[in-house]
Amino acid sequence: MTLAIPDALSFFRLSNGRWRSQRSVHHLLHRRAEAGGSLIVVEDLDAHDPRLRAMAAEQGHDPDRLVGGSQVRWSASMAWDQEGAAHDGESVIGLIPEGANGRSGLLLRDLGYAEKAPAASRFSMDEQDGLMLTTEYETMAVWERFSFAGPDVRIRSSTVEGLSNNASFCLELRLPEGGDAASGTGSSRSPQKAALSPLGW
């Protein structure tokens, strides 16, 4: 089952909520796979949010071209983590579409994936209404694809090429409103230590 999603902003809004992500990363250099997962919380931001507007201006883009975005928080771990390692964080994401249909354009982040600095990605939606992102960094490039297999199931794949070469696959399940990571009960404000989505969304 797939959903009919008209544009990237609609895709983002369908992603609002709390998600449990199970992830497999294939490290090409080591020829080994690593398992992990995360708890991800996505909240809607409108186009006038001061954080989005400041981020767009800092990256040299007209804030008035923003159509909206998200605040994303995550708490995660991977099988190869050293004791005490933490993968908790948060990021602000904004959309600047190109063209009238809103299915391609720029995705701005205040925190990149491969490099921990502000980043801009090219986004486009394919014929199956999947959202594809391409991000170029100084030392590597990242390709990502997000798609819905239903209203509460999201699939994500990514490829990193450069100093670190890997490919990953994530299956993400929406948690019930008000549920915690383990039992579906509790507060949605503080992600619990779980298992990784360093992509942050």
Side-chain angles (χ1 to χ4, degrees):
M1 172 186 174
T2 57
L3 302 177
I5 305 174
D7 51 42
L9 184 60
S10 299
F11 194 105
F12 267 61
R13 287 175 173 164
L14 282 171
S15 298
N16 288 337
R18 303 171 68 253
W19 298 84
R20 164 70 75 204
S21 176
Q22 295 299 318
R23 185 168 186 251
S24 176
V25 182
H26 299 268
H27 299 277
L28 305 184
L29 177 63
H30 302 290
R31 299 184 182 181
R32 293 177 61 189
E34 180 185 17
S38 61
L39 175 65
I40 305 169
V41 180
V42 183
E43 298 178 349
D44 188 50
L45 299 178
D46 68 39
H48 302 291
D49 188 282
R51 292 167 292 180
L52 292 186
R53 295 183 65 83
M55 177 177 63
E58 288 169 1
Q59 296 191 35
H61 301 286
D62 181 359
D64 291 335
R65 296 177 57 203
L66 289 161
V67 295
S70 299
Q71 180 182 22
V72 185
R73 305 192 310 278
W74 61 92
S75 179
S77 64
M78 295 296 291
W80 295 358
D81 284 348
Q82 299 294 319
E83 185 174 352
H87 299 285
D88 300 347
E90 61 182 271
S91 181
V92 171
I93 299 170
L95 286 175
I96 297 180
E98 297 173 351
N101 64 10
R103 293 177 67 88
S104 63
L106 285 175
L107 181 148
L108 307 181
R109 289 186 259 205
D110 65 347
L111 179 66
Y113 160 39
E115 298 178 6
K116 303 308 179 185
S121 305
R122 301 293 309 181
F123 76 81
S124 62
M125 295 185 68
D126 59 24
E127 294 179 355
Q128 291 76 43
D129 294 332
L131 180 71
M132 297 176 291
L133 299 179
T134 302
T135 312
E136 299 283 347
Y137 297 94
E138 288 188 9
T139 59
M140 63 188 70
V142 182
W143 295 270
E144 306 165 61
R145 185 180 188 272
F146 302 79
S147 62
F148 281 90
D152 299 322
V153 181
R154 226 174 52 160
I155 297 170
R156 175 164 21 143
S157 60
S158 68
T159 303
V160 179
E161 184 178 287
L163 293 179
S164 173
N165 295 297
N166 64 63
S168 66
F169 177 83
C170 301
L171 177 64
E172 300 174 344
L173 303 177
R174 190 189 303 274
L175 295 174
E177 284 295 324
D180 67 18
S183 63
T185 61
S187 170
S188 65
R189 297 304 299 176
S190 300
Q192 302 297 314
K193 183 69 178 178
L196 168 56
S197 176
L199 307 186
W201 182 63

